Amino acid sequence: MVGVVVIVAAALAAGYLLGRLRPWRRAGDWAADRVRFTGAWVRGGVVRQAVVVLVHVVTAPRTSWRIMRTPAADTTVPVPVRDPEWVAHRTRADKGGTP
């Protein structure tokens, strides 16, 4: 009888501790951050990428499926176009005078 009480108390304590720490949600948030935002994890190697994607798929299957179906966003920065004849197109204010 005492053994059953100890097991029940340990199960309740473990459940309370897991509910407070929320390791499942923390692992999912960590993986989602790594998948959404490219950064050091991309340069971490194939094994690290596989672990991150596996954790994300296990913790958030619907979100990971949606992320896998959407194409990657274009990360190129638009290059400013320079006018080769900018001197000829300056206004009086650009020249330092009064408008």
Side-chain angles (χ1 to χ4, degrees):
M1 183 69 177
V2 174
V4 173
V5 172
V6 170
I7 291 174
V8 169
L12 285 174
Y16 175 77
L17 187 62
L18 287 175
R20 295 293 290 168
L21 294 179
R22 299 179 184 161
W24 193 258
R25 178 173 282 176
R26 287 179 187 229
D29 291 345
W30 173 81
D33 287 343
R34 296 303 180 275
V35 169
R36 285 190 188 111
F37 306 110
T38 58
W41 78 275
V42 175
R43 295 181 298 274
V46 177
V47 175
R48 187 170 182 176
Q49 290 177 16
V51 168
V52 167
V53 170
L54 179 66
V55 169
H56 191 267
V57 167
V58 168
T59 57
R62 286 177 32 196
T63 305
S64 59
W65 179 251
R66 187 178 67 237
I67 289 172
M68 285 187 277
R69 288 185 308 171
T70 58
D74 187 22
T75 58
T76 59
V77 178
V79 179
V81 178
R82 296 180 184 250
D83 185 9
E85 299 183 19
W86 66 274
V87 175
H89 300 296
R90 289 189 301 175
T91 62
R92 186 178 291 234
D94 293 336
K95 294 177 186 176
T98 57

